[in-house]
Amino acid sequence: MKSHAKVVVIGGGVVGCSVLFHLARHGWTDVVLLERDELTSGSTWHAAGGMHTINGDPNVAKLQKYTISLYKEIEELSGQATGVHLTGGVLLAATEARLDWLRGVVSKGRYLGIDLEVISAKEAAELMPLIDPSQFVGAVRNKEDGHLDPSGVTHAYAKAARKLGAEVERFTKVEDIVRRPDGLWRVITNKGEVVTEHVVNAGGLWTREVGRMVGLELPVLAMEHMYLITEDMPEVADWNKKTGTEIIHAVDFDGELYLRQERGGMLMGTYEKANKVWSEFTTPWNFGHELLEPDIDRIAPSLEVGFRHFPAFQKTGIKQIINGPFTFAPDGNPLVGPVRGLPGFWVACGVMAGFSQGGGVGLALSNWMIEGDPGADIWAMDVARYGDWATMAYTNAKVRENYSRRFSIRFPNEELPAGRQLKTTPVYDLLSAKGAQWGVSFGLEVPLWYAPAGVKDEFSWRRSNDFAHIANEVAAVRGGVGLSEISNFAKYKVTGEGASAWLDRVLACKLPKPGRMTLAPMLKQDGKLIGDFTLANVGDGEWFIAGSGVAEQYHMRWFEAHLPKDGSVYIEALGQKLTGLAIAGPKAREVLAKASRADVSNAAFPFMAVARMDIGMAPCLVGRVSYTGDLGYEIWVAPEYQRAAFQALLAAGEEFSIGLFGSRALNALRLEKNYGSWAREYRPIYGPLEAGLDRFVAYGKDADFIGKAAALAERKGGGKLRLRSFIVDATDADVIGDEAIWHDGVVLGWVTSGGYAHNSRKSVALGYVPKEIADRPDGFEIEILGQRHAARIQAAPLFDANFERMRA
């Protein structure tokens, strides 16, 4: 075994072998994979081997499509058969709600290049003869589903990597990982040690153990997962003989089942409600090619549905039940990327759907390590989406919930209960008493809307019972004044003698003067957006930044990676050390003036001003800015003072009929202003010109800010896309994101977000289209739940197009 390598990959499952292959294919051949046993010895060897392109996040779906397309290449390069069977498949709906969801999946597929088609239950039964069509209301056909040989694929990755110069060391158990003072890593094994620049934790079932070697507790948990294989079935033999093809895959969402042909019989797997955690706290190192004891009683309810939906199963015997552990993250997506605070330590774990996602994970991680960027928008898989609130107990609760709901509908207005009330602000009980309906953001409870007594969310794809109540919240803001809780924003404090120079390089905006604020795009080296913030110069060398709460770890990782080495800049993520409130509406200034002794007149405190002032008796930092697009103020206050500030604002606003509003009303308000949001309109695949943020980029400033050359090139070349706002002739449902945008009968764009703008009484969608059609007045349609609706570009904001209210 070599003593030095550029990269050490830990784990010889499909994911680790994919990472090794992609690193070698990209030219990093001084790489070695360490596997404690044989390759495939964890979850890989007993996987059912299914593969599919469908995913709730379209960017992950692109990587899944790539993964499937890769198998031919690695088979040819390695000479190792992968056993790929591209049979196609059907996704079945037993209810109209499920069919609505599938129609949305088809819409996503249109702009992703995934060939999907809505068909009837009868047509599905003609394609997959085991179906009882009377049990379903419709289906979607997918031509790119299939299955493969798990062992063959894993060895194909490994053999291809070896041919490219990489090395694989089997029966080499990693016992410790130690960082040297010079930043290199010592990977200590039972056969000696390897010194390396980069370590990749692709440990699979042992992900937690490998993470703990460097003081990291990763949010993953293994669950027992069962599937059965039947004896040979005459119906299968008849179909094979009649058509010369295999029986295609089927996913029965309402039965929580997936099915495919396995030799002369069928394989049926389930994600049962009565699930079971495996090895909750530690994974034994001596576990390998073993299976767990089957428990058919646990999956019996799902099998009963399966036997009813697929009657041929009632007449056949069960040849084998496979029960083995698979690791999951709390939301079911992988954990991929560099770990904040551990330079050179990377993760590629929690990849439950390894044969659908393994190739994409390997591609993204190798790009990230070599080029400094994953080359795709992989936010849904980024390890930075979790913070320290994702404890072991939280992970246990959320993984169990996610497993039991893997095939369940998640409605756009549905909030899941597991792991909740973990992080709350000091006004949580006060807002609950006012009828707050809660969601969660980066572990923190956030108010979505306010319901009268006895009313709660009714989940639906269409406008629900919150609709009228959100309209009232919007009316309170636009007609007078509204109060909201905004602690879910990320907050950062920047100080130090080098702070100004550093911010000038990291952010693309012109730095504001003391007492002023500005909107601040942040770019990557390729000129694409990696963040959008509000930057405030508080004075006396202190800077305050507010941004997306869900991206706190993501942005801190970026900030820290670009800090000067001389210690001249200090940045702190304030988290819940600072809580937030906001007031907005034409009466907002009068409320603030009544609650504070400060001069908040327009002359003394103009738009984008920032100052410290007392709200009641509470010391606060107040900025005159509002995401509602109205006259408004954001108020930042230490948690011990939040209740006092909240009560002072309510008391001051009483004579103005102040009302509470939540994040759903805020969404309706910001849509009237064509305001985008992070992780939707602003993502690292769009440039500032494309996203409409170029007016905030100081192209001419002296500082050579990160991404400047690329941003100038985009400005000169015009980019490819444009973000546009559309008015949609919707009926009883609005866009939620990822719907197809049609133009003259062709899908050319996609929706990023939207909803109903109650004040303007318009259904609004934001989305990207090619720049060549971005200013055409007509010809647009937006697909909602399988129906195309006429849409028109709304260039000027629906509300306060001249920005008079917010500057008044």
Side-chain angles (χ1 to χ4, degrees), residues 476-478 480-483 582-588 626 628 630-633 661:
V477 175
R478 292 290 189 239
V481 60
L483 170 62
I583 53 173
K587 300 294 183 180
S626 175
T628 66
D630 219 313
L631 171 65
Y633 306 86
F661 69 101

Side-chain angles (χ1 to χ4, degrees), residues 390-440:
T391 61
M392 184 181 289
Y394 170 90
T395 299
N396 187 309
K398 292 304 289 186
V399 167
R400 294 188 67 148
E401 179 184 66
N402 178 270
Y403 183 97
S404 70
R405 293 181 52 89
R406 182 161 172 77
F407 286 158
S408 298
I409 295 173
R410 173 75 182 272
F411 291 100
N413 64 332
E414 184 177 7
E415 298 295 324
L416 303 182
R420 297 296 298 277
Q421 290 82 51
L422 175 61
K423 284 177 25 178
T424 59
T425 62
V427 296
Y428 177 83
D429 60 327
L430 301 179
L431 300 183
S432 294
K434 299 284 188 180
Q437 304 298 297
W438 296 95
V440 66

Side-chain angles (χ1 to χ4, degrees), residues 379 384-386 441-442 488-490 492 522 530-533 547-559 678-679:
W379 168 249
R385 70 188 187 274
Y386 290 105
S441 175
F442 204 59
N488 57 304
F489 279 86
Y492 311 91
M522 186 165 71
I530 198 171
D532 73 302
F533 304 97
S548 170
V550 297
E552 180 183 290
Q553 286 279 94
Y554 176 83
H555 286 138
M556 279 300 290
R557 185 176 63 193
W558 180 266
F559 288 143
W678 178 253

Side-chain angles (χ1 to χ4, degrees), residues 17-290:
C17 290
S18 171
V19 171
L20 188 76
F21 163 73
H22 281 90
L23 287 169
R25 190 175 69 168
H26 282 61
W28 278 19
T29 55
D30 183 19
V31 293
V32 59
L33 182 147
L34 306 180
E35 164 55 43
R36 67 180 181 90
D37 202 318
E38 275 285 6
L39 299 183
T40 80
S41 291
S43 297
T44 297
W45 75 273
H46 58 74
M51 57 184 184
H52 55 275
T53 53
I54 300 303
N55 188 278
D57 186 287
N59 297 289
V60 176
K62 290 178 186 177
L63 292 177
Q64 293 183 186
K65 185 177 174 67
Y66 163 80
T67 298
I68 293 172
S69 69
L70 181 65
Y71 289 136
K72 182 178 180 181
E73 176 185 340
I74 62 169
E75 187 171 83
E76 291 176 351
L77 180 59
S78 67
Q80 168 70 52
T82 58
V84 169
H85 297 247
L86 277 175
T87 63
V90 286
L91 310 175
L92 299 164
T95 65
E96 287 296 332
R98 174 62 70 183
L99 192 56
D100 276 344
W101 178 78
L102 286 175
R103 291 182 180 117
V105 170
V106 171
S107 183
K108 289 181 187 178
R110 295 194 203 283
Y111 68 81
L112 293 173
I114 299 174
D115 188 5
L116 304 171
E117 178 188 6
V118 178
I119 59 176
S120 68
K122 181 180 178 183
E123 290 172 313
E126 291 170 356
L127 295 169
M128 203 283 194
L130 305 184
I131 294 171
D132 177 358
S134 69
Q135 301 292 319
F136 302 97
V137 299
V140 162
R141 183 182 184 185
N142 182 6
K143 296 181 180 179
E144 298 183 61
D145 277 6
H147 60 274
L148 42 69
D149 171 20
S151 178
V153 165
T154 305
H155 282 280
Y157 276 128
K159 289 181 179 180
R162 285 195 195 99
K163 284 193 172 182
L164 293 170
E167 297 184 24
V168 175
E169 294 286 345
R170 298 173 302 146
F171 306 105
T172 305
K173 178 177 173 286
V174 175
E175 297 178 336
D176 201 2
I177 305 170
V178 179
R179 191 165 184 218
R180 302 195 325 183
D182 61 1
L184 296 179
W185 295 93
R186 296 171 56 215
V187 181
I188 301 165
T189 80
N190 60 334
K191 294 182 177 178
E193 69 176 62
V194 186
V195 176
T196 182
E197 294 178 41
H198 301 276
V199 177
V200 178
N201 179 0
L205 293 174
W206 295 270
T207 287
R208 293 177 301 178
E209 278 65 31
V210 174
R212 288 166 185 162
M213 293 177 185
V214 295
L216 185 64
E217 188 65 45
L218 288 162
V220 295
L221 182 68
M223 302 292 292
E224 294 191 12
H225 179 67
M226 279 181 280
Y227 62 86
L228 61 85
I229 298 171
T230 73
E231 296 175 347
D232 289 354
M233 299 172 65
E235 295 84 356
V236 172
D238 290 346
W239 179 263
N240 296 161
K241 182 177 180 181
K242 173 184 172 183
T243 66
T245 63
E246 288 184 77
I247 289 182
I248 64 174
H249 282 224
V251 176
D252 176 5
F253 291 99
D254 300 276
E256 300 156 341
L257 302 163
Y258 60 90
L259 303 90
R260 69 167 176 83
Q261 185 173 335
E262 174 67 18
R263 300 185 183 274
M266 292 292 295
L267 181 152
M268 177 187 284
T270 179
Y271 289 89
E272 70 281 3
K273 300 293 185 188
N275 52 63
K276 186 177 180 181
V277 172
W278 179 77
S279 198
E280 183 174 359
F281 303 111
T282 59
T283 302
W285 284 105
N286 60 356
F287 184 80
H289 281 83
E290 298 95 351

Side-chain angles (χ1 to χ4, degrees), residues 627-640:
Y627 195 42
T628 66
D630 219 313
L631 171 65
Y633 306 86
E634 292 181 352
I635 300 159
W636 304 105
V637 55
E640 59 266 31

